[in-house]
Structure formats: structure tokens, C-alpha cells
């Protein structure tokens, strides 16, 4: 009986150590949603993608569904989906506006979302219709704390 208890304790401490694998990368000058999307604002345009934390939890991404250029997106509403070996997840827009560019590379190389979530794995660029919306998003510090709390509760 004691060995079973030891084994379950070892397993639970093992699970905890997995979460602290150098913790997910969070970039300072980006803003974040609680649904794990990031946005990098440059004047009135914004680049959008999913965070390192999100891609890590999803596992290997096998397909990315993106909207057409010219589509209107709304803050907090889904604009597409990411399909991984584990699940399909909606991707929500951190800002409202019009899609001015989509990352065509992702149709051939969806794994860029895993390999380079903040650089090569970006999803779309949006012409922001209301720059004030950005103020409602989390900064890197708040987002890191949010991820830690979310992981601890699972």
C-alpha cells in the first residue's frame, strides 16, 4: 500500500515539474487575451497569433483555418481554428477590425505555429477599428500570472 502512495506522489510531483519547463515564452511588448492569443500593435494595424503557452498545450498543429483578407473580425469572437493532434480549438481575435493580410505559409507549414508562435507562426494582420480595445488586454506580466494560475487549477 505504501508503495502505491509513493508512486502517486511521485507522479503528481512529476506532473508539476512538467509545467515548469522553463515556462512558456511571453514577449514584453505584446498584449494577450485570456483565450491565449497575442497581438502586436503597430499604429493602427495589429499582428495576431496564438501564444507559446497555447501551442504547447495544443500539441503538434496539423491545420490552421484562417479568414479571407477583407473579413471583419470582432474582439473576443472566433476568426478561425487551429487543429492539432489532440483537438481543434477556435482562435479569437484580440481586436476588432478588418483582415488586411493572412499568413499563407501556414497552409503548407502549420507547424510554424509550434516552432515560432510569435514570429513565423503569426496568423493574420488586422486594420484596427478601435485602438482603445487594446487597453482591455493583458500585458506580458499579467498574462504570465494568468497562465500560472490556469495551469495550477488543472
Amino acid at each position: 500500500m505504501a508503495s502505491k502512495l509513493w508512486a502517486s506522489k511521485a507522479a503528481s510531483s512529476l506532473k508539476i515539474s512538467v509545467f515548469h519547463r522553463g515556462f512558456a515564452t511571453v514577449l514584453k511588448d505584446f498584449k494577450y487575451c485570456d483565450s491565449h492569443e497575442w497581438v502586436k500593435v503597430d499604429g493602427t494595424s495589429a499582428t495576431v497569433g496564438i501564444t507559446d503557452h497555447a501551442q504547447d498545450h495544443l500539441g503538434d498543429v496539423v491545420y490552421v483555418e484562417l479568414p479571407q483578407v477583407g473579413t471583419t473580425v470582432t474582439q473576443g469572437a472566433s476568426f478561425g481554428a487551429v487543429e492539432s493532434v489532440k483537438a481543434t480549438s477556435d482562435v479569437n481575435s484580440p481586436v476588432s477590425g478588418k483582415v488586411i493580410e493572412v499568413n499563407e505559409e501556414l497552409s503548407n507549414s502549420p507547424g510554424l505555429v509550434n516552432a515560432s508562435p510569435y514570429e513565423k507562426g503569426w496568423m493574420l494582420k488586422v486594420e484596427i477599428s478601435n485602438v482603445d480595445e487594446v487597453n482591455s488586454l493583458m500585458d506580458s506580466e499579467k498574462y504570465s500570472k494568468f497562465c500560472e494560475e490556469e495551469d495550477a487549477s488543472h
Side-chain angles (χ1 to χ4, degrees):
M1 195 66 168
S3 65
K4 265 190 182 168
L5 184 65
W6 179 87
S8 74
K9 273 191 175 158
S12 69
S13 71
L14 197 66
K15 192 160 61 178
I16 289 164
S17 68
V18 169
F19 279 127
H20 296 292
R21 54 144 196 102
F23 231 89
T25 307
V26 176
L27 300 186
K28 286 253 182 278
D29 54 347
F30 286 34
K31 293 285 196 167
Y32 301 88
C33 299
D34 59 8
S35 51
H36 304 290
E37 292 84 15
W38 58 263
V39 60
K40 183 181 184 196
V41 178
D42 183 12
T44 58
S45 74
T47 307
V48 175
I50 65 168
T51 66
D52 185 31
H53 181 86
Q55 72 75 24
D56 185 49
H57 280 260
L58 281 168
D60 293 337
V61 173
V62 293
Y63 179 72
V64 180
E65 181 190 318
L66 296 172
Q68 299 288 315
V69 170
T71 304
T72 300
V73 293
T74 306
Q75 185 179 46
S78 169
F79 66 73
V82 175
E83 196 175 313
S84 74
V85 290
K86 293 183 190 173
T88 299
S89 301
D90 280 346
V91 186
N92 300 323
S93 185
V95 292
S96 300
K98 189 202 249 175
V99 177
I100 50 175
E101 193 180 338
V102 295
N103 188 349
E104 303 289 350
E105 282 290 298
L106 297 182
S107 54
N108 300 326
S109 308
L112 287 171
V113 169
N114 297 114
S116 182
Y118 298 115
E119 280 127 23
K120 296 185 178 135
W122 64 274
M123 294 182 175
L124 46 92
K125 294 188 179 175
V126 176
E127 186 69 45
I128 305 172
S129 57
N130 180 359
V131 184
D132 290 342
E133 285 181 344
V134 176
N135 300 330
S136 67
L137 301 171
M138 290 182 262
D139 63 15
S140 57
E141 217 171 284
K142 276 189 183 151
Y143 180 69
S144 292
K145 202 178 196 72
F146 174 80
C147 291
E148 283 176 40
E149 287 166 4
E150 191 178 69
D151 282 349
S153 70
H154 285 294

